[in-house]
Amino acid sequence: MSARQHSPGGFGAFVRAAADRGDLVVQPRMGFGDPAQMRAGLAATRRAGHATVGTITLDSYTRVGDLAAVSRALADGALLNGYPIASHDLSVTRAMLDGIRGPGFPVQVRHGSATPHHIFDALIRLGLDVTEGGPVSYCLPYGRTPLAESVANWARCVDRFAALRERGVEPHLETFGGCLLGQLCPPSLLVAISVLEALFFCRYGIRSVSVSYAQQTNLAQDLEAVGALRRLCAELLPTTDWHTVIYTYMGLYPATDDGAIRLLGHSARLAVYSGSERLIVKTVAESRRIPTVKENVAALRYAGSFASSDVVPLPFGDDSEVYQEARQIIEAVLGLHAEIGQALLLAFGKGYLDVPYCLHPDNRGRTRGYVAADGRLRWSDTGALPVRRPVRDDGRRVTSAGLLADLSYVRRTYDGPASGTPRPAAVEGDSADDWRFALTSW
C-alpha cells in the first residue's frame, strides 16, 4: 500500500490502486462531436488495458461559450473538434457513457475554458466527477479573458464542483499549471504554478487533486522537476489524496515515426522513474494530423508497457535548482495575500509570476527562457521573478533566430539518429516497426 493515507473512493483511488500494483495509468487526449464516435473512442480506450482512463475533450466553441455556434454546427451536421457536452441533451451523454464509464474505467472531461460555468453545470448535472484546468493555466495561454475574471469564475465553479461530495462521490480536479504554453518555460515556474493551482482547488473544497508537468527538453532536468513537484506537494498541500501526471511533449513534435516513438518512450520513462502515477500520451501522427482512435490505442499500450512494479523511483537531492526556485516563487506568491486567488492576481501584477513568451495582457512578458547547450531549459531573463539569479545563467540574449531554433530543438533531436532509446520489458523494441505491429495487432 502507498505510504500516504487518502480519502476513499473516486478517481484518486483508481489511480492509487493502479500505482500500488505497479501500473502506470495512461490516457489519451480524445474528443469527437458525434456521440456514437465518442462512445467508440472511449470503448477502444477501455479495451486498451486495465490501467487506462477515458477522455472527453470538448470542442472549441464550447470552450469559449459560443453555444449558438455549436447549435448551428449540430443542425448542419458539421464536424466539431470535440464533444459539445453543454449542448447535447443530458440523456444523449448518459447513453453515450452507459456501460463504459464506471469504477474500473473513469472518464475525465477536458476543456480549456477561463469561463467554464456552462461546462461545470453540465458536469454536475451528469454526475461527472473528474475534470481539469485552472484559473491561470486555462486563462493565459488561451485568449484574452482578464485574469481576475478567470480567477472569480474558477472559484465559483470549483466550489460548486466540490459539492458533488454530497452525492457520495469524491470530485477530482487536475491542474494544467505544469503545461503552460507547452514549451520554453523553465521547469521551476511550471512546478510553482502547478502547486499554486492545486492549493487554489483545495481552498475551494476539493480534496482529491492531481498536479501536472509537461515533458520538456532534457530528461535529467525533467526528473529533477517532477521530484521537486512531488516534494512540494507533500510539504504544502492540505490533502494527501494527490498524484502527479506527466504530459508527453506539447511543442513541435517529431515528424518521423521513430522520433515520435522515442519521445513517447522517454515521457513514459520520465513518469515511471519519477514515481508519477499517470501519463497523457501522444501518437506517431501528432505532427501531421489529428490521431485516429487506433493510433491512440497503440500509444496507450506502448506507454503502459513501461510500468513495472520492480521500478524504484530515482531519489532527488533536497537542494535541486528547480526545487529551490519553485519554493521561492510559491512562498513569495503566498506571502502577498491570505486569499490565494487574490495572491495570484497580485503576483502577476508584480511580475512574481511571469510566463515566458505569453502574450496575455495580464502577463508582464519580461521573462525569457532558452535551451542551453546541454538541452536544459534556462532563464535568459528572470524579470521580477522572486528567485536568485540562476547559477548557470549565462545571460544569453534570445534572438528571433535563436527562438525558432529552440522551438524546433526536440523535433531535431528526436528525428536525428536514435540514441538512448528506452526499451520497456513488455516491448521487444521501440522502432516504427514495433509501432506498426501494435497498430495491426489491435
Side-chain angles (χ1 to χ4, degrees), residues 163 250 429:
M250 296 174 67

Side-chain angles (χ1 to χ4, degrees), residues 63-64 112 114 138-147 358-362:
R63 174 174 67 82
V64 298
Y138 266 10
C139 178
L140 295 186
Y142 288 106
R144 300 178 69 85
T145 300
L147 185 60
C358 175
L359 301 179
H360 191 281
D362 291 326

Side-chain angles (χ1 to χ4, degrees), residues 2 5 48 62 239 303 387 398 418:
S2 169
Q5 298 299 312
T62 299
T239 179
V387 297
V398 177

